[in-house]
Amino acid sequence: MVMISPLSASFLPLPLAVLLLGGGTLPLIGLLAEKTGLRRLRELWAIAFSALNLISIYLLYQELRASPGRVIVSSLLGSPPLAGCFEIDTLGVYMAGCVALLGFLAVVYSYHYMEEESRLTEFYTLVLLMMAGMTGVALAGDFFTLFVFWEMMGISSYVLVAFLKYRWGPIEAGFKYLIMSATGSAFLLLSMSLIYGMSGTLNFAYLSASLRGVEPSPWLLLLLATLIVGFGVKSAIVPFHTWLPDAHPEAPGPISALLSGIVIETGLYALMRVTYLTFTPSVYRSVFAALAVITMTVANIMALLQNDLKRLLAYSSISQIGYMLIGLSTGTAYGLMGSLLHILNHSLMKGLAFLAAGNITHQTGMRDIEKLRGVGRMMPYTMLSLSISLLGLGGVPATNGFISKFILFSSAIGAGMPILAVAGVLNSALSMAYYLRVMKNFISTPEGEFEAEEAPALMVAVNLLMALLILLLGLWPQPAIRYADAASRMLVEGLGRYIQAVVGR
Amino acid sequence: MNALIPYLVSVFLLLLIGLGCLMMKRDMIRMLIGLEILFNAANLNFVALSLSRAGFVDPLGQSIVMMAIVLDGCVIAVGLAMVLNAYKHYGTLDVRKLRRLRW
Amino acid sequence: MGLEVISTYPGPWLAWMIPMAGALLMPLLAKAGDRVRDLAAVLFAFAAVLSTFSMIPWLISGEYPGDIKLLTWIAFPDKPPLEVGLLVDPLSIIIANVVSFIAFLIVVYSVGYMHGDPCLTRYWFFFLFFIGSMLLLVLSDNFIMLLVGWEGVGMCSWGLIGFYYRDEKENWLGGPPPTPMYPPSHCGMKAFVVTGFGDVLLLAAIFIIYHYAGTFNFLELIEAAPHWLSAIAATPGLLSLTALLLLGGPIGKSAQFPLHEWLPEAMAGPTPVSALIHAATMVKAGVYLVARLSPIFYIGYWVHGIAEAITFFTAIAVIGAFTAFLAASQAMVALELKKALAYSTISQIGYMMLALGVAGLGEGALLPGLTSGVFHLLSHALFKAALFLCAGCAIHAVESIYMFDMGGLRRWMPITHILMLIAALSLSGVPPLSGFWSKDAVFLSCLYAGSPLAYALLIVAAITAAMTFFYSLRFISLTFYGEPSHHVEELEREHHIHEAGPIMWVPIAILDALVIVIGLLGLIGLVAPSLSPEHIIEGKLHLMLHEMEIPLPSHVAAPSPIGTISLSAAMLLLGGVAGYLFYLARRIDPKEFVESSPILRGIYSFLWNRWYINPLYYAIFVDGLLAFKDAIFKFFESAVVDRGLNEGVPAVFTGLYHRVKRLQTGVLSYNMLYIALAYIALLLTLLYLMGGV
């Protein structure tokens, strides 16, 4: 069923319009704030727009739920396949929802965290534009749109990583990130050109209709390899991940949370979308499985003895991407559902972990785990949220991490790849080693010479809210599972509807 | 297809040169140039393949190239800004000196 | 389904939600001040009472909601989902009201008894959480929610037994030396571990049942009973095993043999705790569960002829009767006042279990058995709570837990004396108090069952009744009659021993009043059957069984009540005479009597050492385990596991780490190299795998 509705009509989906409007007007608001001296105006504007974004995602979701299996198509100035279009289905809204949720929480968190910094106008503009980019990627219906918003997301994130430019760390990390990520974009562009050469179109639906099920020829395999590199750099699959351990720690607190929590997952989502649309599972199964195992293992090993808290969490993000790749490699709706659920859960858990780490760095200025021994006792609420997030990342029952990991591993077994499940379980155990090490260090008796107070109430409140969500989704996962299930079905069983929505116009 | 071969070979060469630049050059500006070469390889591919339709040029391919050039330009601009800042901190343009973040 | 179910039936839902919310709010309320907090606790308990009372109209009218569901908790693929719901029927309404009402009275008592205690916030937290969990347990409609409540009461019981967890010397119980004394923290842990053992058995049984029945919901289990019972019975012995495992939970929670040893130690907690949890409510949770499950096994055996289903009833009946005897014998020689009452509780619950057990031993016995079990539950809750609360007053006044430190308290504590005497007479089954009618009902249900086993158990129960009267007279006279002990005289000289305040004896008076009222109703019921409490309960349970579509035999031969009444009278006489001779009139000195013959001395020490069961458990489970642990530690843990896991594995991973980390060189050129190499590798792998080259 295809309908153009008020929410998605007028050539831009509503969430995207909201974010672009917010990001576009923020420089003016910043100017206003400078002139009138209302210093908090920028923050409040950003918070308001990210809240509006959350609401519009919800409205979009309601509209989609009204008739199941519905796909909304809206295009920019023209009609597909000649023009770019957005194809809004449950999967896209799911991803955009994750972006909106974590984005809102991070922006609220930055209210206090970034208050000492300068150039805040640029900061909030970039954050909103980054969120707009990610939402655009999630809702994109063809490669053109995808690439535009991919670059929007990318460029904003380059600048945000290097935001604290008066220190050498962010600059070095930012430069490396830029070079590697732009290389990835170049490969992405290359793969787009190959697709264009092979099928004459860049529209996802048309692409799927023409290329799917075709016998894999060398060109197609070249395409797959280039795609994997193109998306893999951004989603931090080993061995394309080397920028991440530098970039995520050096970024400011809430940006790290956004980066780890949702930007790399957007890369994974794009990979998911394109490969599922273009190839049948038999083509990419083994490759993804191998990449999954390599990613998980290498990242976990690298995280084991890290002393820098944020670097440890960054490596942990890479390994979590590995888990999501397990779900991708199964090729079934169930596995995909596990991946999608893990995307949501990871954004909450890793986001919370980084925000809690942000609390600690905000109060103490340090990131070294050994030196921060006992900080948990001085900052109990932060420690509580950090513990819940770390336990969730390790997959302890009663947290949502357990639910998604369970689904991922059982889907691996169900798809006939038990080795993946075994590797996953072993890696979970391994990851608990360094999570518990962090927790143990922080809860021990303080022996350092530092004093720390609990962070400002708003930051702590955001942390506790996320911790509550983690526990809630762990004990009552039914709504999230249902949502992720609907989303995953769009790619596996609902593919026909997806194609029909555009081709049948 | 035969008419395409020189173009495709050029694309392949540009790819090699671009990657080689990124891998082997020390100077940060040179790396950005290498990046630009890589982008242009993809753009060239687009242009070449847009010619493959019999008799006329497909506008889609060429419009993508326009968009890609703009976006690449933005990326390079940001990269140059970072190079500037890196020079302020490190005093050199040698990327191998940017080694403080490791392991 | 959905949140509107709370507004449609507010009573059952609020009954457990309000106390739990109150418990969670306690830390906040404590900041407002002690009086506010205590008042809030009383109000929360009162709200629970109001909520459960609101269910009584359903009981009276016979139109009760049954199964009301709130939301789907977990949806399983291909199986019915796990829902949050409550089962509101006569059984749960009656027991919920007993729980909430007695809990409220004890909350009021606690305000006076625990006044001035610095840790009162923690006390209220556990107390209110207990009330909420207990009501959740009683009202829930499926096994999983019941387990949530079950574990909740277990946690609160641990927390409240171990309330004085700092283990000040004055809070230890046991002894007098050389018998070991135990600190409160140990007692709390003992309770938790022993009941936890029962809980594990229960959990195993629940999963076996789920595997065959596919549902946790009680009503669905009853409906589908023939199918899954025969499915389990297809494997010989499995149904008996399941029945025994299922009984493990109630046996643990209700302190029956062999899991009864935690209840005497549970007296380490404050007296209101003993009254509420270990006399009137938590220990009845097991009785409730057995009552809830008995229709299932009744249908299995009597309607569908599955032979092994009778194991459920046989086991619990035998265990109940044996425990009653066992505990009563120990109560005859107890030296601490609360220990005597604790043994008495174990014994009386044995009666309830006996009643529920014989309910399935005869085709016509289900309704009488259930009725007498529930009636004795109600009546026992009232008089045992009263007994404990009075004991609390006495212990508080005398500042000692031992009965030999008391004596002659009648002079200074007349109100407590009268109240405790009434409750003790009801415990012994002296007509016309409520205990007489309920105990008589239990005996009668044995006759309804009519099997030889039932008659044998009846004999055991009767002997226990004699012992009950004996030890009741014993503890009453040791405490209140006779000459005051040296300890009492000293205390009287220092500061006069005085009666407890009204906030403490008014709740006890209310409980005793109810005991008398029920007793009188029973008396009236002889001429007007519709007013007899037993008849009322029977009617409601009959309705409930009818709604569950349990086929009851239409014509049941009612055994003559003369037999049981005369049996009760004979036993009362036996016990009464012995008690009178030994304690009331002090004709025979107990000590000399015991010392006079080696056989009697042997019996005395056997009973004093709790039939050596407690020392046996400590020897096997505590000492034995510790010895085992030492051996394992030396030979296995240090030598093998430590070296392998604690040193070997980290060494492997640290080595791996140091090697792998060198890959992250920090040089951008290398990073690009990785990308390029990976690209080529990917391409080659794909080409190789897909065979496209």
Side-chain angles (χ1 to χ4, degrees), chain A residues 176 180 183 187 221-222 224-226 228-229 239-240 242 245 282-283 287 301-302 304-305 315 430 475-476 478, chain C residues 72-73 75 653-654 656-658 660-661 664 666 668 671-672 674-675 678-679 682-683 686-687 689-690 692:
Chain A
K176 293 186 187 169
M180 292 188 69
T183 311
F187 272 91
L221 297 173
L222 177 70
L224 180 60
T226 320
I228 291 181
V229 176
F240 314 115
T242 36
S282 54
V283 178
V287 174
I301 293 181
M302 292 293 292
L304 274 178
L305 290 176
Y315 274 115
L430 193 57
L475 290 170
W476 188 35
Q478 205 42 43
Chain C
T72 305
W73 188 6
F653 280 106
T654 328
L656 258 179
Y657 168 77
H658 283 294
V660 173
K661 84 169 181 187
Q664 183 87 5
L668 191 53
N671 297 353
M672 302 310 303
Y674 295 154
I675 295 186
Y679 184 44
L682 258 179
L683 201 55
L686 275 172
L687 288 174
L689 281 177
M690 295 290 129

Side-chain angles (χ1 to χ4, degrees), chain C residues 14 33 55 139 203 222 271 273 304 330 346 358 398 420 435 440 450 487 533 547 553 570 573 671 686:
Chain C
L14 293 178
M55 299 195 277
L139 290 169
L203 199 62
I222 294 180
T271 308
V273 167
H304 293 273
Q330 291 178 7
I346 301 177
V358 299
V398 172
M420 197 161 185
D440 190 66
H487 184 83
E547 287 287 322
L573 200 59
N671 297 353
L686 275 172

Side-chain angles (χ1 to χ4, degrees), chain C residues 327-666:
Chain C
S329 67
Q330 291 178 7
M332 294 200 290
V333 301
L335 283 182
E336 299 170 45
L337 179 55
K338 279 171 68 173
K339 270 239 172 65
L341 294 177
Y343 291 130
S344 163
T345 307
I346 301 177
S347 171
Q348 294 298 306
I349 299 179
Y351 273 107
M352 294 173 221
M353 293 295 191
L354 170 65
L356 292 175
V358 299
L361 288 182
E363 193 174 4
L366 182 64
L367 189 56
L370 270 182
T371 311
S372 57
V374 172
F375 186 26
H376 197 58
L377 189 154
L378 166 66
S379 135
H380 173 260
L382 292 171
F383 61 67
K384 193 43 73 59
L387 278 173
F388 265 105
L389 296 182
C390 292
C393 295
I395 292 176
H396 191 71
V398 172
E399 294 170 19
S400 162
I401 54 175
Y402 299 109
M403 287 197 277
F404 53 70
D405 278 341
M406 301 180 193
L409 286 181
R410 177 169 61 163
R411 214 186 311 165
W412 298 284
M413 306 178 72
I415 304 180
T416 313
H417 162 241
I418 296 288
L419 294 175
M420 197 161 185
L421 183 62
I422 296 176
L425 289 178
S426 181
L427 166 64
S428 321
V430 171
L433 295 170
S434 67
F436 168 72
W437 301 108
S438 56
K439 202 171 286 193
D440 190 66
V442 174
F443 290 163
L444 210 57
S445 52
C446 291
L447 289 182
Y448 268 102
S451 73
L453 179 63
Y455 290 133
L457 295 178
L458 177 59
I459 304 292
V460 174
I463 300 177
T464 312
M467 294 200 281
T468 308
F469 197 22
F470 176 73
Y471 69 68
S472 309
L473 287 176
R474 176 174 182 269
F475 70 70
I476 288 288
S477 60
L478 278 180
T479 312
F480 291 106
Y481 303 143
E483 289 304 314
S485 68
H486 290 293
H487 184 83
V488 167
E489 284 178 357
E490 249 180 69
L491 277 178
E492 177 58 23
R493 273 197 294 271
E494 286 174 25
H495 53 80
H496 295 281
I497 300 179
H498 57 85
E499 188 64 76
I503 197 173
M504 285 164 59
W505 62 254
V506 166
I508 310 178
I510 297 179
L511 288 170
D512 270 355
L514 280 173
V515 167
I516 297 179
V517 162
I518 294 182
L520 286 176
L521 279 178
L523 200 57
I524 300 177
L526 283 179
V527 289
S530 58
L531 280 179
S532 130
E534 190 184 335
H535 191 88
I536 297 176
I537 298 179
E538 183 173 359
K540 300 304 162 201
L541 290 179
H542 187 99
L543 181 62
M544 175 183 92
L545 292 175
H546 183 75
E547 287 287 322
M548 289 181 189
E549 293 166 19
I550 313 275
L552 294 172
S554 48
H555 168 69
V556 178
S560 146
I562 307 284
T564 55
I565 294 190
S566 47
L567 187 61
S568 308
M571 290 300 127
L572 279 178
L573 200 59
L574 186 58
V577 164
Y580 178 75
L581 286 177
F582 276 93
Y583 292 103
L584 280 178
R586 307 281 162 132
R587 288 277 183 80
I588 312 179
D589 184 14
K591 273 216 186 50
E592 281 173 24
F593 180 72
V594 165
E595 296 291 318
S596 66
S597 115
I599 302 180
L600 286 175
R601 241 180 296 157
I603 296 181
Y604 177 80
S605 88
F606 183 65
L607 295 179
W608 171 246
N609 283 304
R610 293 153 77 163
W611 291 42
Y612 292 110
I613 299 180
N614 199 34
L616 185 70
Y617 284 164
Y618 271 94
I620 298 180
F621 292 108
V622 180
D623 300 330
L625 213 57
L626 287 175
F628 185 58
K629 158 212 128 188
D630 287 330
I632 295 259
F633 184 72
K634 206 164 85 164
F635 295 114
F636 188 56
E637 171 109 7
S638 305
V640 178
V641 176
D642 247 355
R643 264 200 280 166
L645 285 180
N646 284 349
E647 291 157 31
V649 168
V652 166
F653 280 106
T654 328
L656 258 179
Y657 168 77
H658 283 294
R659 282 198 193 94
V660 173
K661 84 169 181 187
R662 302 217 172 264
L663 286 176
Q664 183 87 5
T665 55

Side-chain angles (χ1 to χ4, degrees), chain B:
Chain B
M1 180 64 181
N2 288 334
L4 272 183
I5 292 195
Y7 292 106
L8 293 177
V9 169
S10 328
V11 166
F12 181 61
L13 281 176
L14 276 177
L15 196 67
L16 276 181
I17 294 174
L19 276 177
C21 228
L22 284 169
M23 281 194 278
M24 289 189 275
K25 291 293 171 187
R26 291 179 181 231
D27 193 301
M28 284 200 263
I29 306 278
R30 303 235 164 103
M31 288 186 90
L32 285 176
I33 295 178
L35 191 61
E36 190 67 48
I37 296 177
L38 210 52
F39 271 124
N40 285 331
N43 287 340
L44 184 60
N45 209 9
F46 260 115
V47 173
L49 291 169
S50 78
L51 290 176
S52 64
R53 301 287 147 184
F56 72 105
V57 171
D58 188 357
L60 180 62
Q62 317 234 326
S63 53
I64 297 210
V65 171
M66 306 262 59
M67 179 242 345
I69 292 178
V70 171
L71 290 171
D72 303 339
C74 292
V75 173
I76 300 293
V78 174
L80 283 171
M82 285 202 199
V83 171
L84 206 68
N85 277 295
Y87 187 75
K88 267 196 236 162
H89 282 289
Y90 289 83
T92 168
L93 282 180
D94 188 341
V95 81
R96 309 228 171 139
K97 295 281 189 294
L98 264 65
R99 259 198 99 166
R100 296 192 204 165
L101 291 172
R102 55 159 84 177
W103 296 328

Side-chain angles (χ1 to χ4, degrees), chain A residues 228-375:
Chain A
I228 291 181
V229 176
F231 288 122
V233 174
K234 203 44 164 265
S235 50
I237 301 177
V238 175
F240 314 115
H241 69 289
T242 36
W243 58 272
L244 198 147
D246 302 330
H248 285 200
E250 299 300 330
I255 301 302
S256 302
L258 275 177
L259 281 176
S260 262
I262 203 64
V263 173
I264 47 182
E265 277 83 354
T266 307
L268 195 72
Y269 157 80
L271 182 65
M272 192 193 294
R273 175 79 85 176
V274 175
T275 47
Y276 269 67
L277 279 176
T278 324
F279 303 99
T280 51
S282 54
V283 178
Y284 55 75
R285 251 177 144 210
S286 348
V287 174
F288 278 175
L291 282 175
V293 173
I294 296 174
T295 310
M296 285 191 288
T297 321
V298 170
N300 274 330
I301 293 181
M302 292 293 292
L304 274 178
L305 290 176
Q306 289 293 335
N307 262 332
D308 183 338
L309 175 62
K310 288 177 79 168
R311 207 175 166 87
L312 184 142
L313 290 175
Y315 274 115
S316 150
S317 297
I318 304 178
S319 78
Q320 300 287 328
I321 293 285
Y323 292 124
M324 295 176 214
L325 274 174
I326 293 182
L328 241 76
S329 60
T330 58
T332 60
Y334 187 52
L336 209 56
M337 170 174 91
S339 286
L340 287 172
L341 200 59
H342 203 59
I343 288 180
L344 174 64
N345 294 343
H346 180 246
S347 73
L348 278 175
M349 296 187 292
K350 194 42 75 57
L352 175 57
F354 267 111
L355 292 183
N359 276 3
I360 296 177
T361 50
H362 190 251
Q363 298 298 113
T364 61
M366 290 195 279
R367 292 200 323 234
D368 190 316
I369 297 180
E370 292 297 324
K371 294 213 195 87
L372 279 172
R373 198 181 206 94
V375 78

Side-chain angles (χ1 to χ4, degrees), chain C residues 3-28:
Chain C
L3 284 172
E4 62 272 4
V5 91
I6 297 188
S7 45
T8 323
Y9 302 112
W13 292 102
L14 293 178
W16 63 271
M17 286 182 183
I18 292 186
M20 279 204 184
L24 292 171
L25 287 173
M26 267 301 143
L28 283 169

